[in-house]
C-alpha cells in the first residue's frame, strides 16, 4: 500500500468509478443503480496538488496531463492495469480514539457469558492518557483504517466524560486529522455516551454536559457534530433531546445513536430534531422509518456491531431504502462492541445480511457517507475540483467489493487536499 497525499500525478488505464451522476444531484439518493456509479473503463484521473483536475479517456485528459506536468515540481504517471479506482471510503461513525482493549469482554461473549468490563473500563483507561498518548494511540488506529481504504473518518469523543478530558480528546482528533499519512477526521462531541463514575443520575449528568461541558467544547471550535447514545438503560429520549437541543443551540449539527440494542424512540427523536444522521437503527420501528424519510435524515448503519454482539437482527436496510431513506455504512470501530476498522468487512456484511446491492453499498461507503458528514461538496466522488481521495484496488470488477471478506483489496491509497 502506497500513499501519495497532496502530490500531482495521473492514474491511467483504470476502471474508474466516478459516482459523478450522484455527485451532480447535490443530495443523498436512497435508490442507487449501476448507472449512478459513473463507470469509465480504460480511463484516467489527473490530480494537481491533491485536487482532481480531469477525468476521462486518455484523449480527454491529455491536455490536462500536459498542463499539470508543466506546473508541477514532480509528476508521476501510474498504470492501473485495468484495476478499479474509486473514491476513498468515508467512515461516518467511529469511536476510534480510545485506550486499552476489551479482550476480556470478547472472551466472555465468545463463551456465552455477560461481559464485565464494559465502557467504564475504557473510560478509566482513556482518562489515564496524556494528549500525546492519545495522539499516538489514535495514529495507530487511524493508520489501520487508512490501510484498508478509509480516507475520511468521523471520530467521536465520549471516553473521558469530563469537560477537560472531552476537550483533550477533541484536540487529539483534530491533530490526527492534519497528518498527511492518515485519514482526514471529522470530530463529534459525544458527551452523552455513558454515565461517568462521578455521577449516579443521567439527568444530573445531562445538566452538567449542557451547562459546563458544552461551552468549553464550543469555545474550542473543533467539534462539528454532537451525538447522544439514546438507548434504554442509557440516555432516555428526553435526556438525549435536552443535550442535543443544547448543542444545536450552540451551532453543532446533530447525530444520534438510535434503536441500536432495542427500540427506544431514538429514530423518532432524530426526525423531530432534524438530525443529519440516525445511526445503527437495528430495532427501528416501522412507523419511524417514514419519519426519517420525511425529515431528510441519513441512516448510518453499523452491521459490524450486530455481528460482534450477536444481536438478533440487522438494521432493515431494504425497508429504509425503499421508504426513501438514504443509507450510509460505517464501522462503529470501538473496543467493546465492534473492534473492526475495515469498511471492506462492513461491505460484506451489508451485502450478505442486509440485502444491499453492490451499487447501494458503494454509494453507502462513499458519497452517501460524505453527505452524512456534510462533506459531499469536497469528497465522496471523483469529479474535477474535489479532493483527490482515491483508492486503487486489486480488482477490476466492482462487484467483487463486498464479495471478499477477511482480506484487504487496497493496492494504494491517495489522500488529496487537506487544506479544504
Amino acid at each position: 500500500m502506497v500513499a501519495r497525499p497532496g502530490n500531482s500525478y495521473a492514474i491511467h488505464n483504470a476502471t474508474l468509478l466516478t459516482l459523478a451522476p450522484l455527485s451532480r444531484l447535490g443530495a443523498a439518493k436512497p435508490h442507487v443503480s449501476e448507472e449512478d456509479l459513473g463507470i469509465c473503463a480504460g480511463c484516467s484521473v489527473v490530480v494537481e496538488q491533491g485536487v482532481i483536475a480531469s477525468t476521462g479517456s486518455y484523449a480527454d485528459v491529455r491536455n490536462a496531463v500536459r498542463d499539470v506536468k508543466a506546473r508541477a515540481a514532480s509528476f508521476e504517471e501510474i498504470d492501473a492495469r485495468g484495476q478499479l479506482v474509486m473514491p476513498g471510503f468515508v467512515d461516518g461513525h467511529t469511536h476510534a480514539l480510545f485506550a486499552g482493549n476489551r479482550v476480556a469482554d470478547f472472551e466472555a461473549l465468545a463463551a456465552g457469558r455477560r461481559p464485565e468490563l464494559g465502557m467504564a473500563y475504557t473510560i478509566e483507561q482513556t482518562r489515564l492518557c496524556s494528549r500525546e498518548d492519545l495522539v499516538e494511540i489514535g495514529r495507530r488506529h487511524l493508520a489501520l483504517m487508512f490501510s484498508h481504504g478509509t480516507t475520511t473518518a468521523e471520530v467521536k469523543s465520549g471516553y473521558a466524560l469530563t469537560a477537560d478530558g472531552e476537550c483533550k480528546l477533541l484536540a487529539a482528533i483534530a491533530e490526527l486529522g492534519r497528518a498527511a499519512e492518515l485519514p482526514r477526521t471529522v470530530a463529534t462531541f459525544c458527551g452523552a455516551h455513558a454515565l461517568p463514575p462521578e455521577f449516579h443520575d443521567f439527568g444530573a449528568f445531562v445538566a452538567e454536559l449542557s451547562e459546563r461541558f458544552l461551552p468549553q467544547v464550543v469555545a474550542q471550535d473543533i467539534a462539528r457534530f454532537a451525538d447522544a447514545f439514546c438507548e434504554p438503560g442509557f440516555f432516555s429520549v428526553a435526556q438525549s433531546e435536552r443535550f442535543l437541543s443544547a448543542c444545536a443551540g450552540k451551532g453543532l449539527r446533530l447525530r444520534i445513536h438510535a434503536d441500536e440494542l432495542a427500540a427506544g424512540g431514538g429514530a423518532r427523536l432524530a426526525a423531530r430534531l432534524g438530525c443529519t444522521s440516525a445511526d445503527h437503527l437495528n430495532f427501528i420501528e416501522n412507523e419511524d422509518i417514514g419519519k426519517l424519510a420525511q425529515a431528510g435524515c441519513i441512516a448510518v448503519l453499523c452491521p459490524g456491531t450486530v455481528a460482534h454482539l450477536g444481536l438478533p437482527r440487522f438494521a432493515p436496510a431494504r425497508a429504509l431504502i425503499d421508504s426513501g431513506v438514504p443509507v450510509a455504512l460505517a464501522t462503529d470501530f470501538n473496543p467493546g462492541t465492534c473492534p473492526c476498522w475495515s469498511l471492506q468487512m462492513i461491505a460484506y456484511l451489508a451485502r450478505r445480511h442486509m440485502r444491499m446491492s453492490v451499487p447501494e453499498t458503494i454509494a453507502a461507503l462513499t458519497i452517501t457517507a460524505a453527505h452524512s458528514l456534510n462533506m459531499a461538496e469536497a469528497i465522496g466522488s471523483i469529479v474535477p475540483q474535489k479532493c483527490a481521495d482515491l483508492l486503487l484496488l486489486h480488482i477490476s470488477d466492482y462487484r467483487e467489493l463486498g464479495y471478499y471478506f477477511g482480506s484487504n483489496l487496497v493496492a494504494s491509497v491517495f489522500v488529496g487536499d487537506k487544506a479544504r
Side-chain angles (χ1 to χ4, degrees):
M1 189 276 298
V2 179
R4 298 180 178 86
N7 288 350
S8 297
Y9 57 90
I11 305 174
H12 300 302
N13 190 27
T15 300
L16 204 60
L17 299 187
T18 67
L19 281 83
L22 294 177
S23 188
R24 287 192 290 267
L25 293 176
K29 182 181 180 183
H31 290 95
V32 179
S33 66
E34 183 178 69
E35 289 72 26
D36 293 315
L37 298 181
I39 302 171
C40 183
C43 283
S44 302
V45 55
V46 185
V47 175
E48 182 170 17
Q49 292 303 309
V51 177
I52 297 166
S54 182
T55 66
S57 69
Y58 186 77
D60 293 334
V61 305
R62 184 183 295 117
N63 290 340
V65 169
R66 180 197 63 209
D67 294 344
V68 173
K69 188 182 294 187
R71 290 189 292 265
S74 64
F75 187 84
E76 184 176 3
E77 297 191 67
I78 302 159
D79 185 357
R81 302 172 189 249
Q83 295 182 116
L84 199 69
V85 172
M86 65 175 292
F89 298 143
V90 179
D91 197 336
H93 184 129
T94 86
H95 301 264
L97 193 53
F98 60 85
N101 63 54
R102 303 239 285 277
V103 171
D105 281 353
F106 176 66
E107 292 294 321
L109 279 172
R113 302 191 309 270
R114 182 182 179 85
E116 295 182 3
L117 295 178
M119 210 182 303
Y121 176 78
T122 304
I123 293 167
E124 173 190 284
Q125 295 298 302
T126 304
R127 284 182 172 185
L128 295 173
C129 295
S130 66
R131 174 171 163 176
E132 292 73 22
D133 294 334
L134 291 171
V135 169
E136 182 55 33
I137 290 167
R139 186 178 299 277
R140 292 199 302 270
H141 292 166
L142 287 169
L144 289 165
M145 296 170 71
F146 184 78
S147 70
H148 284 73
T150 296
T151 53
T152 297
E154 184 261 13
V155 185
K156 304 178 193 295
S157 70
Y159 286 131
L161 302 183
T162 64
D164 290 344
E166 290 294 290
C167 286
K168 184 166 63 175
L169 285 167
L170 291 167
I173 293 166
E175 182 174 342
L176 289 161
R178 291 189 290 269
E181 73 281 8
L182 297 176
R184 66 184 78 244
T185 60
V186 177
T188 294
F189 171 42
C190 190
H193 193 204
L195 192 65
E198 300 83 10
F199 285 81
H200 303 284
D201 178 77
F202 281 92
F205 182 53
V206 167
E208 183 81 352
L209 283 170
S210 303
E211 296 165 14
R212 195 167 76 83
F213 286 34
L214 182 57
Q216 292 187 44
V217 167
V218 171
Q220 190 182 27
D221 196 26
I222 291 174
R224 292 165 62 174
F225 291 91
D227 194 345
F229 188 27
C230 183
E231 191 75 26
F234 289 87
F235 294 88
S236 69
V237 170
Q239 291 159 352
S240 299
E241 182 168 12
R242 179 179 178 185
F243 170 69
L244 292 175
S245 295
C247 291
K250 295 292 187 180
L252 297 178
R253 296 184 177 182
L254 305 182
R255 320 178 76 73
I256 189 170
H257 290 62
D259 306 319
E260 176 184 359
L261 305 174
R268 205 171 313 132
L269 176 61
R272 187 163 73 247
L273 294 180
C275 291
T276 302
S277 76
D279 300 9
H280 289 291
L281 305 177
N282 305 319
F283 296 93
I284 186 172
E285 296 179 322
N286 289 335
E287 59 267 28
D288 292 338
I289 293 177
K291 292 182 173 68
L292 287 183
Q294 292 169 7
C297 288
I298 293 174
V300 179
L301 308 184
C302 307
T305 306
V306 179
H308 185 77
L309 293 179
L311 298 178
R313 59 179 276 186
F314 286 83
R318 284 263 55 88
L320 287 159
I321 292 168
D322 293 342
S323 297
V325 180
V327 166
L329 292 167
T331 59
D332 189 26
F333 176 37
N334 75 82
T337 64
C338 191
C340 171
W341 53 73
S342 174
L343 279 169
Q344 295 176 61
M345 184 65 191
I346 300 306
Y348 164 76
L349 293 173
R351 294 281 294 115
R352 181 65 183 87
H353 295 288
M354 298 198 299
R355 296 193 297 123
M356 291 179 65
S357 69
V358 185
E360 288 167 348
T361 300
I362 288 170
L365 297 173
T366 55
I367 189 68
T368 307
H371 277 293
S372 82
L373 298 175
N374 298 123
M375 292 186 67
E377 76 288 347
I379 61 173
S381 59
I382 304 176
V383 297
Q385 303 309 310
K386 280 196 173 186
C387 298
D389 291 7
L390 308 174
L391 303 180
L392 173 60
L393 303 181
H394 288 299
I395 55 175
S396 56
D397 184 343
Y398 76 88
R399 296 173 301 173
E400 293 179 85
L401 186 61
Y403 166 69
Y404 296 105
F405 65 97
S407 59
N408 188 1
L409 299 174
V410 171
S412 295
V413 186
F414 307 80
V415 176
D417 181 10
K418 281 199 166 189
R420 294 193 170 197

